[in-house]
Amino acid sequence: KPLVEQHATFLGHVLKDEGIVTMMTGETMPERRVKSWKSARIVASTPQVIENDLLSRRIDLKDVSLVIFDEAHRAVGNYAYVYIAGRYAQEATSPLILGITASPGSQSEKIAEICTNLGIEKILTRTDDDPDVAPFVHQREIEWMKVTVPKELLDIRKAIEEVLKG
């Protein structure tokens, strides 16, 4: 819910029209959401609300022109993003998806799974040095320190690994 509020507020300010953005969370009653879906131009919502409204047929995605998945790295397994993206690809007249994440992961297999699940065909990356990112990066000082992990903790880790294998 806080992320939905953050996005709704940001979009309202950027678009200079707070009324153009409709916010929906689990606290929004389903009857009210049905009306909001019909009249909304821009919706900021939790994925669970969208998934529930799709499953209960309160909405369809036929006329939705763009879906933005923030924290796109979550689009794996049974997470709501996967279901929403699949339904959107099937229902929308002209589907367009934008996935955004600061944490795509380092394994190419996971990144490929996310792209497949969201129907993403093109990946753009940004670094701290890119001109559109640099103004927002705070200087930080990193100091690496090597520590010796106590034997007790190593034993606990080993025990947990054994349980997980078994």
Side-chain angles (χ1 to χ4, degrees):
K1 182 181 171 194
L3 191 56
V4 171
E5 291 172 346
Q6 178 185 349
H7 286 312
T9 301
F10 171 78
L11 288 168
H13 288 2
V14 167
L15 299 172
K16 308 226 186 297
D17 182 354
E18 306 256 340
I20 198 170
V21 181
T22 300
M23 184 177 78
M24 292 189 223
T25 67
E27 293 177 5
T28 311
M29 298 307 296
E31 302 78 33
R32 182 168 169 237
R33 292 199 310 259
V34 170
K35 291 177 186 173
S36 294
W37 280 116
K38 289 179 182 172
S39 63
R41 302 261 337 264
I42 297 172
V43 174
S45 176
T46 62
Q48 293 77 17
V49 162
I50 296 172
E51 181 180 43
N52 289 339
D53 286 352
L54 285 168
L55 288 167
S56 62
R57 302 193 187 282
R58 281 190 280 272
I59 61 167
D60 69 56
L61 301 173
K62 181 178 162 254
D63 296 323
V64 173
S65 56
L66 170 67
V67 175
I68 301 173
F69 292 99
D70 191 14
E71 305 288 334
H73 59 274
R74 295 182 179 187
V76 294
N78 291 327
Y79 193 68
Y81 282 1
V82 179
Y83 179 74
I84 295 166
R87 286 281 301 266
Y88 182 57
Q90 290 173 354
E91 294 179 16
T93 305
S94 186
L96 181 61
I97 289 178
L98 173 63
I100 304 169
T101 183
S103 313
S106 59
Q107 298 176 340
S108 58
E109 297 84 19
K110 182 177 182 206
I111 295 169
E113 179 185 1
I114 293 165
C115 290
T116 299
N117 290 343
L118 295 181
I120 292 175
E121 299 172 1
K122 185 175 183 181
I123 298 174
L124 300 175
T125 59
R126 296 287 183 264
T127 68
D128 292 357
D129 300 323
D130 285 315
D132 56 342
V133 175
F136 304 100
V137 176
H138 303 286
Q139 291 298 322
R140 59 193 181 273
E141 194 174 307
I142 299 172
E143 179 182 345
W144 291 93
M145 298 178 67
K146 290 189 176 191
V147 296
T148 303
V149 178
K151 182 182 179 323
E152 295 82 12
L153 287 180
L154 293 173
D155 291 342
I156 292 170
R157 181 181 74 180
K158 186 176 178 181
I160 291 171
E161 288 171 347
E162 294 290 325
V163 168
L164 293 174
K165 282 182 191 174

